[in-house]
Amino acid sequence: MALLSLQDACLAYGHVALLDHAAMSLEPGERLGLIGRNGTGKSSLLKIFAGLEKPDDGLMQLQQGLRRHYVPQEPQFAPGATVFEAVSVGVAEAKALRERYEAHAPGEDLDALQSRIEALDGWTWEQRVNETLERLQLAPERIVDDLSGGLKKRVALAQALAAAPDVLLLDEPTNHLDLEAIVWLQDLLASFRGAVILITHDRAFLDAVSTRILELDRGQLRSYPGSFSAYEATKARELEDEALANARFDKLLAQEEVWIRKGVEARRTRSVSRVNRLVALREQRAARRDVVGKVRLELDTGSRSGKIVAELEGVAKSYGARAIVRDFTATILRGDKVGLIGPNGAGKTTLLKLILGEIAPDAGTVRQGTQLQVAYFDQMRDALDLDATLADTISPGSEWVEIGSTRKHVMGYLGDFLFSPARANSPVRTLSGGERNRLLLARLFAKPANVLVLDEPTNDLDIETLELLEELLQDYAGTVFVVSHDRRFLDAVVTSTIVSEGDGRWREYEGSVEDWLAQSQRAAALAAKAAKSAPKAEAPAPAAAPVAAAAAPTPATPKRKLSYKEQRELDELPARIAALEDEQKALGELLNGSELYTRSPEKVAETHARFAAIDEELLALLERWEELGSR
């Protein structure tokens, strides 16, 4: 039986129907990913599921006694509350009922109270809160106001888990979380016993978590079983079929319009049934909601920068006793696309400012290149004046925008970013979070720049705009610095990564996030193996007989030369490792694409198993290579 269901739901703001007789249901244990364009009404729909808003029309049915908990994009907490107090809000009903039971107020129905407390597991609510805090690694005595955005989001999740809801409703849960925290949240949701409905634009997160995709498209809810990758393949086919059907319909309508104007030569009286069909066709065409156009992104790279953008040698930076950067050396060349990866608070922004010469290092040297034109995308949207109009934000004091050699009217330029002319004179504060990000992109791209600094550009952007931004940055001839926790976005854009390794240590890796993860995992495996063997090789002599040990040292075992067979094996190992890495890369592309899921779904499990087996084979070959090489 469905936990909740929505039937014939309608919701409109102004003349735009966000829900147009939409329907859906949620089954126990499902993890449902809710996706759609910015401004289509996803957050409003989630609030309807949470009971915070009501549709204009239609019916929502809930299973009796269903417990729901909603976590908004920006959680709000009582000022001055501790983490324990904030998380305890999730068990507020159980806490209040137990207090009433313990107070023994006259006329209170203690039997009914006891039954309700037991149903909510309210006798041990403190234990449940403490267990949740321990599981989420949160200090109960800390003040929530002092926490970072990522930790506040973790407190909100703890509050939801302590409530033990049947349905967990999450609006952009990965915003403000770093990569490690996102992986942690994936595991958390995978083990959650209830059902989940979540809004996110993180495609890798959707793939890892969702069991079904629910798309809100032009007022309708469409369901797609499986992961996001499977949805992409199915959706592409649907859009092709829809475009073909619409083209046929439009052709028929055009023919009928010609007929009604020309009349029929052989007969002066027109067919009443054919005229009625034309009227019906016109009404059908007027009611049709076409696919919203795509954002058109163009970027002027300005004048060409020097070959070297920045050169850092032994750079260090500290604030008080805390080291943010220690002994960092790197060279950034024109055209590099660099991803900065690290937990929240690691110092990614500080490192960026050092690279671009905005702050001076405490030690070491930083040399900037020539003719740098830097443009910033700020995740906090501080560059936006909320009271300014959209047109003034893009082109203050002028009706025209110049991009390279192209001159566009500001109305047309805003249209490229899906803002209608009617909204050009609206204040920025009327925009949603995703629309503000889109406006910030429009402003950013209206200025020439040969260095782009993008700080969390993926927050709140819809998936189609993300994919277009990826394509634009791939073709961009300038230099790009990206701070993001969206793995798919980073993998598509960056050519190298600078990764925080703790205690102010930063290291540069060639390739994408996947390349960095593979390299770091192998290094960790080798380090763990070396740590296991080190105590045996370097064990100190017994303390009871130091003189004897010194007088009669154990003779060192002479190194044995490699046999002909072993030497040949050593020579072949690099090629074997490279072949396995190539095979794994090809399998990864296959698993991330859609063709395998649509054409050969029976081979998906086999491909996953082979991908995992290669990791084991690579580790064994690397260990063998190290063993033979040391001899």
Side-chain angles (χ1 to χ4, degrees):
M1 180 181 175
L3 296 174
L4 62 82
S5 62
L6 198 63
Q7 299 172 14
D8 208 29
C10 296
L11 180 69
Y13 287 106
H15 66 284
V16 178
L18 299 179
L19 296 177
D20 188 5
H21 301 282
M24 61 79 64
S25 62
L26 177 69
E27 300 296 328
E30 278 196 302
R31 296 190 296 275
L32 198 154
L34 178 58
I35 65 171
R37 279 285 185 87
N38 291 136
T40 53
K42 300 186 298 297
S43 292
S44 297
L45 179 59
L46 200 66
K47 288 176 182 175
I48 289 174
F49 291 148
L52 301 175
E53 292 184 6
K54 292 184 178 181
D56 298 335
D57 198 5
L59 176 67
M60 186 169 78
Q61 293 181 313
L62 302 176
Q63 205 175 79
Q64 188 173 5
L66 187 76
R67 286 183 288 176
R68 298 166 286 173
H69 196 98
Y70 168 70
V71 180
Q73 286 190 43
E74 303 294 338
Q76 300 294 320
F77 302 99
T82 65
V83 169
F84 184 88
E85 291 167 345
V87 175
S88 298
V89 172
V91 292
E93 184 185 358
K95 182 180 176 183
L97 288 173
R98 201 180 78 180
E99 287 173 353
R100 282 170 55 190
Y101 184 89
E102 291 170 349
H104 296 293
E108 192 78 74
D109 187 346
L110 296 183
D111 288 337
L113 275 178
Q114 183 176 351
S115 298
R116 183 58 182 162
I117 292 170
E118 287 173 354
L120 295 172
D121 195 17
W123 298 116
T124 57
W125 68 262
E126 296 100 335
Q127 180 184 346
R128 193 157 86 234
V129 169
N130 283 319
E131 286 174 354
T132 304
L133 291 174
E134 186 176 347
R135 183 182 176 192
L136 273 63
Q137 300 176 349
L138 291 166
E141 70 283 354
R142 291 195 65 182
I143 303 299
V144 178
D145 295 340
D146 299 336
L147 301 180
S148 66
L151 283 176
K152 284 180 180 176
K153 183 63 71 79
R154 195 175 284 219
V155 171
L157 290 167
Q159 187 185 94
L161 293 173
D166 302 306
V167 180
L168 184 57
L169 304 157
L170 306 174
D171 195 350
E172 295 289 358
T174 61
N175 280 6
H176 308 303
L177 295 184
D178 53 45
L179 278 173
E180 185 180 346
I182 290 172
V183 173
W184 162 84
L185 181 57
Q186 286 176 190
D187 296 338
L188 186 74
L189 293 181
S191 62
F192 180 66
R193 287 180 295 177
V196 179
I197 304 178
L198 61 96
I199 298 171
T200 183
H201 299 126
D202 188 326
R203 292 155 291 176
F205 184 77
L206 268 177
D207 257 342
V209 170
S210 61
T211 58
R212 180 159 64 102
I213 299 295
L214 187 69
E215 182 189 37
L216 179 55
D217 180 24
R218 290 164 283 170
Q220 296 297 311
L221 287 168
R222 296 182 174 88
S223 177
Y224 300 85
S227 67
F228 179 74
S229 295
Y231 152 79
E232 284 184 302
T234 306
K235 184 64 178 178
R237 289 197 306 272
E238 282 187 358
L239 287 175
E240 287 176 6
D241 294 343
E242 182 182 344
L244 186 61
N246 286 344
R248 288 173 178 160
F249 177 92
D250 292 342
K251 184 178 180 181
L252 174 63
L253 178 60
Q255 289 171 345
E256 295 301 292
E257 292 286 3
V258 169
W259 171 81
I260 199 70
R261 284 169 175 77
K262 283 181 64 178
V264 182
E265 297 295 333
R267 298 172 58 189
R268 294 298 174 192
T269 57
R270 292 170 178 154
S271 167
V272 174
S273 62
R274 193 167 178 182
V275 171
N276 290 338
R277 184 178 71 166
L278 174 58
V279 171
L281 287 174
R282 285 174 175 171
E283 291 174 350
Q284 191 176 341
R285 178 64 185 88
R288 189 172 86 198
R289 293 179 66 178
D290 289 322
V291 177
V292 179
K294 290 186 176 182
V295 176
R296 288 191 288 276
L297 302 179
E298 297 177 65
L299 186 54
D300 180 7
T301 55
S303 59
R304 201 176 184 191
S305 69
K307 184 176 181 181
I308 292 178
V309 173
E311 197 170 31
L312 295 83
E313 184 70 38
V315 169
K317 185 70 179 177
S318 299
Y319 289 106
R322 185 180 171 218
I324 305 297
V325 180
R326 293 179 188 264
D327 193 27
F328 180 65
T329 298
T331 301
I332 310 297
L333 301 177
R334 180 180 64 234
D336 283 353
K337 298 176 175 65
V338 184
L340 279 83
I341 299 173
N344 293 328
K348 298 185 291 291
T349 303
T350 300
L351 181 57
L352 261 178
K353 289 180 177 179
L354 285 169
I355 292 172
L356 297 172
E358 295 183 7
I359 57 175
D362 297 336
T365 58
V366 180
R367 182 166 68 91
Q368 268 78 43
T370 57
Q371 297 181 319
L372 298 185
Q373 295 172 289
V374 184
Y376 287 87
F377 182 97
D378 177 19
Q379 67 163 318
M380 302 310 293
R381 310 185 192 100
D382 291 338
L384 294 178
D385 179 357
L386 298 183
D387 295 318
T389 66
L390 274 63
D392 284 341
T393 299
I394 297 301
S395 184
S398 173
E399 293 185 354
W400 299 94
V401 177
E402 293 189 8
I403 304 172
S405 58
T406 307
R407 194 165 184 253
K408 288 188 175 181
H409 194 275
V410 67
M411 296 293 186
Y413 184 72
L414 283 169
D416 289 345
F417 288 81
L418 305 183
F419 294 110
S420 66
R423 302 185 71 185
N425 292 316
S426 302
V428 173
R429 66 174 65 255
T430 63
L431 302 180
S432 68
E435 288 173 324
R436 290 183 192 182
N437 265 15
R438 214 187 310 141
L439 181 67
L440 200 53
L441 283 177
R443 175 175 170 156
L444 183 79
F445 295 165
K447 300 175 181 178
N450 52 36
V451 177
L452 284 181
V453 179
L454 306 176
D455 190 357
E456 293 293 355
T458 62
N459 283 356
D460 301 325
L461 286 182
D462 59 58
I463 290 169
E464 287 189 26
T465 306
L466 277 179
E467 291 171 347
L468 290 167
L469 181 57
E470 287 172 3
E471 293 174 12
L472 177 79
L473 294 176
Q474 287 165 1
D475 298 334
Y476 177 59
T479 307
V480 180
F481 295 96
V482 184
V483 177
S484 177
H485 303 308
D486 188 322
R487 290 160 288 175
R488 282 272 293 267
F489 183 80
L490 284 171
D491 277 336
V493 171
V494 304
T495 57
S496 66
T497 55
I498 298 177
V499 183
S500 169
E501 299 194 333
D503 194 29
R505 302 288 179 187
W506 296 83
R507 184 175 174 186
E508 187 173 11
Y509 291 86
E510 290 300 316
S512 65
V513 176
E514 292 300 323
D515 296 320
W516 157 59
L517 289 173
Q519 293 175 62
S520 58
Q521 285 168 2
R522 286 174 197 157
L526 290 172
K529 182 176 180 293
K532 284 181 182 178
S533 59
K536 298 176 185 176
E538 300 173 9
V547 177
T554 305
T557 305
K559 286 189 178 180
R560 181 173 63 83
K561 286 186 67 176
L562 295 177
S563 66
Y564 172 78
K565 185 178 179 182
E566 288 172 332
Q567 183 61 53
R568 187 173 176 182
E569 181 186 1
L570 179 61
D571 293 340
E572 291 174 352
L573 276 173
R576 291 172 63 189
I577 290 170
L580 280 174
E581 288 176 337
D582 289 343
E583 182 186 355
Q584 192 177 49
K585 184 178 180 182
L587 289 175
E589 291 173 354
L590 198 60
L591 289 169
N592 288 331
S594 58
E595 188 174 350
L596 177 67
Y597 298 91
T598 54
R599 295 190 177 181
S600 307
E602 71 281 357
K603 294 184 179 179
V604 171
E606 179 187 337
T607 307
H608 272 289
R610 177 56 186 157
F611 186 89
I614 290 175
D615 274 334
E616 300 295 327
E617 292 178 31
L618 278 172
L619 185 58
L621 288 180
L622 287 166
E623 290 174 349
R624 181 63 174 163
W625 192 11
E626 183 188 26
E627 177 191 346
L628 294 176
S630 64
R631 304 214 312 256

